């Protein structure tokens, strides 16, 4: 098998100079020496630039703000990452009480928080209402009634939007498609108006918005426009019925380039959606965007060291110290991540499957990659800033790796490497 001729994604925070890879001004070799591997490395500059591109596009003609970015922290919820984004002006999209606690830990304004998710518990709903989030995105009639009950107990109002399932094909991996009628997410399109009428009658509920999210790693604008048109039809109908909403949440999902994907440019994408909202006469509504991956995906790499090179009967294996436990995406979605040797070597290339030490044949990080590597070399797994560390596990009693944020020529530990003892320190054996 030969290596697929896939180009590297365009990166702003990582670059190769004289055969050596850098995060901003810091060499990845130095980072591995100082902090060990496997190691997540993020670039503050890449994160900042991605955010600023969205934010700039959110400002319309005449300097009027047309939309606001609520970063979907499920993509990467490290406190340093979310704190940087908060300081740049981002609000947040949350999906659990845990994420809400993270937002509060960095002092995020509760009014900059929207709370989504298909199965929020009564405890999570109470936590969200008590801190006073901007909105709870409701995904079923049953949840709507649960929110009303919790708000009654707490004697408070519950600001809600209904998440519409528009039945639009986002043309992405089936596991990360969310807007088809067969998906568990959102309220079926034909039930939405009825549910709003019901919501408007519930004593503790304030209808404030409408929302929609059709999937992730979407590389064309067309499915967004289809979903948006369907949502705007509902907004027009609601208006006729006297149910006024104040904001429109268009979800996240914009893809990034992992290599040969060509997602729309963030600015063009945002402008296209916001222009459509204005053309349809809803320019007065506040618009919420919930990007995750497109803010952080290409702002991070996973550094790993080659342990062994193992020629096999059918394949050659390059066994590295990172695994599906650090980066689950290849095992779970057969996702492609570019993998580069951190230092170029003048030795012949061999085709390898890059695999981890975990006891699963599904534990692979890259397949059929042509590479000039030797044992002890470092590899950088690119585009690992989103859905990387956050999906890491302790399977095989493997401690989670450290995370580093580089800012110019400085590197900061933003999460210490886990210690093995900590992994079982809360476990107890039965008494004799
Ligand atoms: N809003 C909602 C309601 C979502 O469900 C998601 C992602 C987002 C925003 C952010 O989407 P993004 O801009 O990051 O595409 N683990 C998968 C991705 C799962 C995405 C789930 N929802 C992966 O590694 O590809």
């Amino acid at each position: 098998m030969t290596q697929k001729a896939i180009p590297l994604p365009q990166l702003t925070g990582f670059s190769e100079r004289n055969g050596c890879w850098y995060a901003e001004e810091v060499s990845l070799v130095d980072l591995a020496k100082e902090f060990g591997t496997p190691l997540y490395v993020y670039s503050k500059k890449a994160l900042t630039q991605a955010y600023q591109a969205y934010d700039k596009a959110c400002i319309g003609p005449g300097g009027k703000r047309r939309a606001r970015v609520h970063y979907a922290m499920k993509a990467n919820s490290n406190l340093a990452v979310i704190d940087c984004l908060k300081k740049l002006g981002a609000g947040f999209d949350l999906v659990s009480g845990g994420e809400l606690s993270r937002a509060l830990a960095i002092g995020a304004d509760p009014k900059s928080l929207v709370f989504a998710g298909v199965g929020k518990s009564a405890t999570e709903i109470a936590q969200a209402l008590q801190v006073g989030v901007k909105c709870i995105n409701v995904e079923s009639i049953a949840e709507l009634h649960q929110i009303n009950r919790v708000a009654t107990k707490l004697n408070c109002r519950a600001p809600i939007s209904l998440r519409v399932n528009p039945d639009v094909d986002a043309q992405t991996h089936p596991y990360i498609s969310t807007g088809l009628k067969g998906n568990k997410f959102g309220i079926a399109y034909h039930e939405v108006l009825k549910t709003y009428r019901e919501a408007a009658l519930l004593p503790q509920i304030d209808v404030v918005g409408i929302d929609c999210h059709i999937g992730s790693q979407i590389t064309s604008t067309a499915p967004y426009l289809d979903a948006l048109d369907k949502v705007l039809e509902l907004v027009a109908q609601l208006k006729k019925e006297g149910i006024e909403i104040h904001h429109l949440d268009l979800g996240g999902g914009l893809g990034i380039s992992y290599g040969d994907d060509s997602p729309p440019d963030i600015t063009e994408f945002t402008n296209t959606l916001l222009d459509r909202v204005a053309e349809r006469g809803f320019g007065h509504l506040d618009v919420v965007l919930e990007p995750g991956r497109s803010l952080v995906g290409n702002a991070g790499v996973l550094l790993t060291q080659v342990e062994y090179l193992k020629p096999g009967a059918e394949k050659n294996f390059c066994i590295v110290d990172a695994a599906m436990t650090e980066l689950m995406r290849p095992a779970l979605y057969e996702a492609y991540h570019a993998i580069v040797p951190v230092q170029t070597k003048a030795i012949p290339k061999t085709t390898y499957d890059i695999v981890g030490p975990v006891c699963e044949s599904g534990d692979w990080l890259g397949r059929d990659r042509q590479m000039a590597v030797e044992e002890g070399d470092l590899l950088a797994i690119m585009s690992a800033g989103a859905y990387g560390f956050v999906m890491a596990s302790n399977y095989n009693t493997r401690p989670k790796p450290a995370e580093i944020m580089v800012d110019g020529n400085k590197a900061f530990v933003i999460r210490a490497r886990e210690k093995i003892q900590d992994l079982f320190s809360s476990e107890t054996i039965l008494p004799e």
Side-chain angles (χ1 to χ4, degrees):
M1 278 269 239
T2 49
Q3 186 187 23
K4 294 187 270 175
I6 296 181
L8 282 178
Q10 277 204 342
L11 301 167
T12 52
F14 300 88
S15 58
E16 190 189 6
R17 297 177 215 161
N18 305 322
C20 219
W21 276 87
Y22 283 74
E24 300 192 20
E25 303 309 318
V26 182
S27 122
L28 293 185
V29 174
D30 290 348
L31 288 177
K33 262 192 209 136
E34 190 169 351
F35 303 108
T37 55
L39 186 72
Y40 271 99
V41 181
Y42 308 121
S43 153
K44 186 177 174 204
K45 178 174 148 197
L47 187 76
T48 306
Q49 287 186 354
Y51 178 83
Q52 285 171 341
Y54 266 109
D55 197 52
K56 203 167 144 217
C58 288
I59 310 292
K64 184 179 168 277
R65 175 167 290 279
R66 303 200 285 177
R68 215 166 266 285
V69 172
H70 289 244
Y71 167 59
M73 74 160 78
K74 63 172 82 68
N76 184 331
S77 55
N78 183 289
L79 292 189
V81 171
I82 61 176
D83 184 58
C84 282
L85 290 168
K86 184 199 83 178
K87 287 180 177 141
L88 289 165
F92 298 99
D93 161 55
L94 319 166
V95 287
S96 69
E99 289 190 350
L100 175 54
S101 301
R102 283 181 181 272
L104 298 176
I106 57 151
D109 175 2
K111 288 285 163 254
S112 73
L113 308 176
V114 293
F115 191 13
V118 76
K120 300 170 205 83
S121 69
T123 310
E124 289 175 318
I125 292 167
Q127 195 190 351
L129 291 176
Q130 274 162 334
V131 305
V133 298
K134 173 184 168 75
C135 186
I136 300 184
N137 296 351
V138 179
E139 302 223 13
S140 63
I141 298 188
E143 186 196 351
L144 179 64
H145 285 277
Q146 172 81 300
I147 295 172
N148 187 55
R149 279 194 300 274
V150 175
T152 307
K153 260 197 213 141
L154 295 173
N155 192 24
C156 68
R157 314 281 313 160
I160 64 106
S161 83
L162 297 188
R163 173 167 174 179
V164 178
N165 181 325
D167 195 23
V168 162
D169 186 357
Q171 284 152 14
T172 185
H173 189 285
Y175 286 9
I176 53 176
S177 173
T178 59
L180 282 167
K181 61 181 176 208
N183 298 135
K184 69 177 174 180
F185 298 100
I187 295 175
Y189 192 76
H190 67 279
E191 302 256 304
V192 174
L193 288 174
K194 192 177 92 186
T195 313
Y196 267 111
R197 288 178 202 126
E198 198 164 329
L201 296 176
L202 289 173
Q204 305 304 120
I205 298 287
D206 286 336
V207 170
V208 295
I210 189 161
D211 75 284
C212 181
H213 173 85
I214 54 173
S216 194
Q217 187 51 18
I218 302 171
T219 50
S220 97
T221 312
Y224 278 100
L225 288 175
D226 290 349
L228 178 58
D229 285 342
K230 287 181 118 175
V231 168
L232 291 176
E233 267 173 44
L234 293 173
V235 178
Q237 186 58 35
L238 287 171
K239 193 171 176 206
K240 272 193 207 146
E241 298 189 21
I243 302 176
E244 284 277 348
I245 62 152
H246 309 290
H247 78 253
L248 191 61
D249 181 342
L250 305 182
L254 179 63
I256 59 167
S257 172
Y258 284 95
D260 58 1
D261 338 61
S262 32
D265 166 75
I266 287 178
T267 315
E268 271 170 39
F269 165 81
T270 309
N271 277 327
T272 307
L273 295 188
L274 295 177
D275 288 350
R276 178 68 66 99
V277 173
E279 278 160 25
R280 297 284 147 104
F282 295 104
H284 60 285
L285 295 180
D286 290 334
V287 175
V288 169
L289 301 171
E290 296 175 358
R293 187 191 319 262
S294 48
L295 287 173
V296 292
N298 271 325
V301 302
L302 172 59
L303 263 187
T304 183
Q305 188 170 32
V306 177
E307 299 280 15
Y308 303 107
L309 295 176
K310 176 174 170 178
E314 274 185 22
K315 295 204 144 202
N316 299 311
F317 295 101
C318 171
I319 304 170
V320 296
D321 64 1
M324 63 190 288
T325 40
E326 283 72 33
L327 183 65
M328 166 93 125
R329 303 193 68 257
L332 192 57
Y333 317 114
E334 302 202 0
Y336 174 88
H337 285 259
I339 303 179
V340 297
V342 167
Q343 282 174 303
T344 311
K345 278 202 166 153
I347 53 170
K349 287 187 177 177
T350 305
T351 303
Y352 294 105
D353 272 15
I354 318 286
V355 299
V358 163
C359 299
E360 300 263 352
S361 291
D363 177 29
W364 60 275
L365 297 163
R367 284 186 170 145
D368 301 318
R369 307 296 176 91
Q370 274 206 339
M371 241 172 239
V373 277
E374 293 176 306
E375 290 172 10
D377 285 357
L378 294 169
L379 302 181
I381 305 175
M382 314 309 273
S383 315
Y387 306 110
F389 186 91
V390 283
M391 291 172 74
S393 81
N394 293 119
Y395 186 39
N396 285 194
T397 308
R398 289 170 57 83
K400 289 187 190 162
E403 293 175 286
I404 305 291
M405 171 98 69
V406 170
D407 181 10
N409 60 6
K410 294 199 191 75
F412 301 91
V413 179
I414 58 170
R415 191 180 207 271
R417 186 175 301 282
E418 284 182 349
K419 294 192 183 70
I420 288 184
Q421 298 86 312
D422 296 345
L423 301 188
F424 50 83
S425 61
S426 56
E427 298 174 21
T428 27
I429 56 174
L430 296 185
E432 291 297 322

